[in-house]
Amino acid sequence: MDSQTSQSSQPSLPSPSPHTFQVDLRGLVDLLSHHLYSSPKVYLRELLQNAVDAITARRAADPDAPALVRLFAEPGALRVEDSGVGLTEADVHDLLATIGRSSKRAEGLQEARSDFLGQFGIGLLACFVVAERIRVVSRSARTPDAAPVEWTAADDGSYTVRTLPDDARPEPGTTVHLVARAGAAEWLAEDRVLALARDFGSLLPYDVRVGEEAVTDLPAPWDRPYPSPAARRVALGRHCHDLFGFTPLDGIELDVPLAGIRGVAYVLPSAVSPAQRAGHRVHLKGMLLTERTEQLLPDWAFFVRCVLDTDSLRPTASREALYEDETLAAVREALGERIRSWLTGLAAGDPERLAAFLAVHHLGVKSLARHDREMLRTMLPWLPFETTDGRLSLEEFARRHPVVHFTRTVEEYRQVAPIASAQGVGVINGGYTYDSELVEALPSVRPGTVVAELDADTVTAHLDAVDPAVELALAGFLAAARAKLDPLGCDVVLRAFHPLSVPALHLDDRAARHEQARAQAEEEADDLWAGILGSLRGEAPRARLVLNHLSPLIRRIGSLGEPELIGTAVESLYGQALLMAQRPLRPADSALLNRAFIGLLEWATNGEGDR
């Protein structure tokens, strides 16, 4: 018998029987309440959503069908009635008892899915976050002859289904009864239900009421007619205050028909950090989806808060955030374009409102202008910059100065601003967020503009040289000063400049500071690391202490005959110049300041004793 015959004669093993996953409903409810949903309050949104979707489904076949949702709060219980499409007994077994299955995905409804709010099949399950028992009584509009059906479920995962007499529910639709869980009765109280219903459902297209109180408030504030633009601005400002708690500087219409978006962006009345990402309120087909979405607008538009309604964006499974896809990216770009157009319109027709806006939010506009040359060109006459001529726009500053000098850090600007201003050199402080990038982009939108970074060599070149004979007469003093500061990596030069009140100016650049930091690290490192740092030594220019020959103090110090006193005076000038430039002090600089201060005290007290 060959091997093939032997194998075929063996009895075949039975196929393993399939098993069905078992779901611990209590554990699943805990998962929903603590991880999927942000708050128990979403149970009411899910109830409203199911009711609205049921009405939408019924009206797809019968446009004249009633569209009513009624909520009735009772002690420890809640009843929600709708005039929607309803369910048969087969629907109940197929849909309500199967987690993850949604009627919106049922056969025959695929084409209409875009009309529904929920598509994940977990909505009713969210009610177990606040309820220990759910009872659903429903009658189908599609199968009028079918008897009403009752589905009752408990939070332990058990449920029962039974048919009811015709008079239990004469008309098509569904009634959901909730019985509160222990400790959750407050969520079913009438005042809480009314507040939640108005928050979630104020823009729903159907008649929704809690008892006798209307929930819907249509049309939306941005779609209502107003007698004048001023009246509209006042009404939207009141709406913003009610929603977000602030009165806006302005409201920006958000109308993107291709994306099915209508709404408004409210401009914050006070400055905020670009890193702050407060949320926007997004309604999906009238139902509030989320009030804290962050990915709706471009990053640069951090100065507005939006409220809008859309029928095109996709929600996540929890329906508390937006799904990041191509549609959301396109909407983000379109909304950014609306805000950009609003800014352009202000620049063209309402400079006073634009100035008021930029006084608060110039940082956001600068962020936009970095990547949008057209916006930079539009905003040139308006965006403020700190300069040696005061706060000016780039356009005004470029008209005044043939070369637009700028510094990359605030410290560099503080070093040179007083001296450069006195010498007639205009300088822009590029040390603030986005400023240096915008200054460097200036030639791209203003052809012919010359932009140059201001460094120590440029500043020194604008200072008046001293007569060679005078500098020769001070050669001994300068040699002593250079010897004193050489260990600190600083040269000494003599120039004449204004104002006279500045006896000495400390100048360096990033390359010099980098070399100083490397040298300090080399001194403090062990032999191996010091050798590595030593190999990195560069030919970077050294810092320099520029002594002002026009200063009476420098003239008196230059005439001193005592080398020790000259050294103490030079150290004092160096320390004072560092402090004026607001440079961070190295340990060696701090030691020098202490030494110079003590030296001056000793000289003063010794001189007093001699007299």
Side-chain angles (χ1 to χ4, degrees):
M1 182 182 297
D2 60 18
S3 60
Q4 182 175 359
T5 305
S6 175
Q7 290 176 1
S8 62
S9 65
Q10 295 178 1
S12 58
L13 296 175
S15 300
S17 58
H19 298 277
T20 303
F21 282 106
Q22 301 299 309
V23 176
D24 179 354
L25 189 59
R26 283 178 175 161
L28 187 56
V29 168
D30 181 72
L31 180 66
L32 289 175
S33 59
H34 289 93
H35 300 282
L36 183 63
Y37 295 124
S38 62
S39 166
K41 69 181 182 180
V42 297
Y43 88 92
L44 193 68
R45 183 193 62 198
E46 301 300 333
L47 288 173
L48 287 176
Q49 177 178 286
N50 286 342
V52 168
D53 285 343
I55 293 172
T56 301
R58 184 176 180 184
R59 283 199 156 188
D62 180 8
D64 296 326
L68 306 174
V69 181
R70 296 291 183 264
L71 297 90
F72 301 95
E74 303 162 359
L78 178 67
R79 185 173 85 256
V80 181
E81 299 179 355
D82 69 67
S83 58
V85 69
L87 301 170
T88 63
E89 182 178 0
D91 294 333
V92 167
H93 284 289
D94 191 40
L95 301 174
L96 295 188
T98 306
I99 297 171
R101 181 171 297 174
S102 171
S103 62
K104 293 80 174 179
R105 291 197 289 267
E107 184 178 355
L109 293 180
Q110 293 292 336
E111 296 79 6
R113 279 186 63 191
S114 62
D115 294 332
F116 296 108
L117 299 173
Q119 299 177 9
F120 295 94
I122 58 176
L124 193 60
L125 190 63
C127 294
F128 280 119
V129 174
V130 299
E132 68 176 11
R133 188 169 72 255
I134 302 174
R135 176 171 168 259
V136 177
V137 176
S138 187
R139 183 161 195 159
S140 174
R142 290 201 183 102
T143 313
D145 295 336
V149 61
E150 177 191 71
W151 176 83
T152 304
D155 60 1
D156 62 1
S158 62
Y159 72 92
T160 61
V161 178
R162 65 184 180 123
T163 57
L164 301 176
D166 284 348
D167 58 359
R169 184 172 181 98
E171 298 296 328
T174 299
T175 302
V176 179
H177 302 262
L178 301 185
V179 177
R181 297 166 64 94
E186 62 174 303
W187 291 102
L188 306 186
E190 185 172 13
D191 56 346
R192 177 68 66 91
V193 170
L194 179 59
L196 293 178
R198 284 176 171 167
D199 195 36
F200 285 121
S202 62
L203 301 184
L204 289 174
Y206 304 134
D207 182 5
V208 182
R209 296 176 182 271
V210 176
E212 298 300 321
E213 297 288 337
V215 168
T216 51
D217 186 18
L218 296 175
W222 49 84
D223 286 329
R224 296 171 189 171
Y226 296 97
S228 67
R232 179 181 184 82
R233 191 173 298 121
V234 170
L236 290 180
R238 189 181 305 113
H239 176 245
C240 175
H241 190 275
D242 292 340
L243 280 184
F244 298 116
F246 65 86
T247 301
L249 285 177
D250 206 348
I252 306 170
E253 298 288 332
L254 301 180
D255 186 4
V256 187
L258 291 179
I261 285 178
R262 286 284 297 151
V264 61
Y266 292 116
V267 181
L268 292 167
S270 57
V272 293
S273 167
Q276 182 176 333
R277 291 291 181 269
H280 308 287
R281 289 176 64 94
V282 177
H283 296 256
L284 180 61
K285 302 180 184 71
M287 179 74 73
L288 178 64
L289 179 71
T290 175
E291 54 189 349
R292 60 176 188 273
T293 185
E294 297 179 357
Q295 71 269 46
L296 185 65
L297 295 181
D299 289 342
W300 55 261
F302 54 83
F303 50 83
V304 298
R305 297 291 174 268
C306 293
V307 54
L308 55 82
D309 188 28
T310 176
D311 59 13
S312 63
L313 299 179
R314 291 175 57 195
T316 59
S318 68
R319 291 185 285 279
E320 295 187 284
L322 296 174
Y323 186 80
E324 186 69 49
D325 58 9
E326 293 180 357
T327 302
L328 179 57
V331 166
R332 185 185 300 120
E333 182 177 349
L335 295 181
E337 182 58 37
R338 284 294 304 119
I339 298 174
R340 184 186 290 109
S341 299
W342 171 77
L343 285 170
T344 304
L346 287 187
D350 201 339
E352 290 185 2
R353 285 172 65 200
L354 178 63
F357 166 76
L358 289 178
V360 179
H361 295 299
H362 58 275
L363 199 59
V365 180
K366 287 181 177 180
S367 175
L368 169 60
R370 287 185 306 153
H371 307 293
D372 189 325
R373 292 294 179 260
E374 189 58 38
M375 181 56 62
L376 176 58
R377 183 179 293 107
T378 301
M379 291 292 117
L380 273 181
W382 309 103
L383 287 175
F385 288 77
E386 182 181 356
T387 78
T388 49
D389 294 351
R391 289 189 70 80
L392 296 176
S393 68
L394 289 180
E395 177 70 27
E396 178 63 23
F397 187 86
R399 283 202 298 265
R400 295 187 182 187
H401 299 278
V403 178
V404 177
H405 287 104
F406 73 99
T407 63
R408 291 193 182 275
T409 68
V410 175
E411 291 79 8
E412 290 173 350
Y413 178 80
R414 289 169 177 166
Q415 270 187 301
V416 303
I419 309 304
S421 180
Q423 306 305 122
V425 178
V427 184
I428 295 175
N429 183 358
Y432 295 115
T433 307
Y434 311 133
D435 283 7
S436 61
E437 297 175 69
L438 294 177
V439 174
E440 289 181 297
L442 188 55
S444 68
V445 296
R446 198 177 188 275
T449 303
V450 179
V451 173
E453 184 177 353
L454 190 68
D455 55 21
D457 290 334
T458 304
V459 176
T460 305
H462 280 83
L463 304 180
D464 294 334
V466 177
D467 185 271
V470 173
E471 190 163 359
L472 182 61
L474 295 173
F477 163 70
L478 293 175
R482 287 166 181 151
K484 198 69 175 176
L485 297 185
D486 183 68
L488 297 172
C490 183
D491 291 333
V492 178
V493 296
L494 187 67
R495 292 290 187 272
F497 56 87
H498 292 275
L500 304 182
S501 59
V502 179
L505 176 65
H506 181 271
L507 293 177
D508 64 3
D509 54 24
R510 286 184 302 281
R513 290 194 295 277
H514 176 75
E515 178 60 23
Q516 287 179 344
R518 187 209 59 77
Q520 180 181 345
E522 181 181 356
E523 291 178 2
E524 299 172 353
D526 57 32
D527 292 342
L528 175 61
W529 188 237
I532 296 174
L533 291 172
S535 68
L536 299 177
R537 182 181 296 111
E539 299 297 328
R542 287 153 60 93
R544 66 196 68 174
L545 183 68
V546 184
L547 302 179
N548 186 3
H549 184 60
L550 298 181
S551 168
L553 178 60
I554 295 299
R555 290 175 181 267
R556 289 196 297 271
I557 294 175
S559 65
L560 294 174
E562 301 178 30
E564 185 176 345
L565 185 55
I566 289 175
T568 299
V570 169
E571 287 182 334
S572 300
L573 289 170
Y574 174 82
Q576 188 263 355
L578 279 181
L579 295 175
M580 290 295 293
Q582 300 186 32
R583 284 284 183 209
L585 299 180
R586 300 171 294 167
D589 298 329
S590 299
L592 175 144
L593 280 171
N594 291 332
R595 185 170 62 248
F597 179 69
I598 296 299
L600 289 176
L601 284 178
E602 290 178 347
W603 177 82
T605 54
N606 287 339
E608 184 67 26
D610 293 341
R611 290 194 289 272

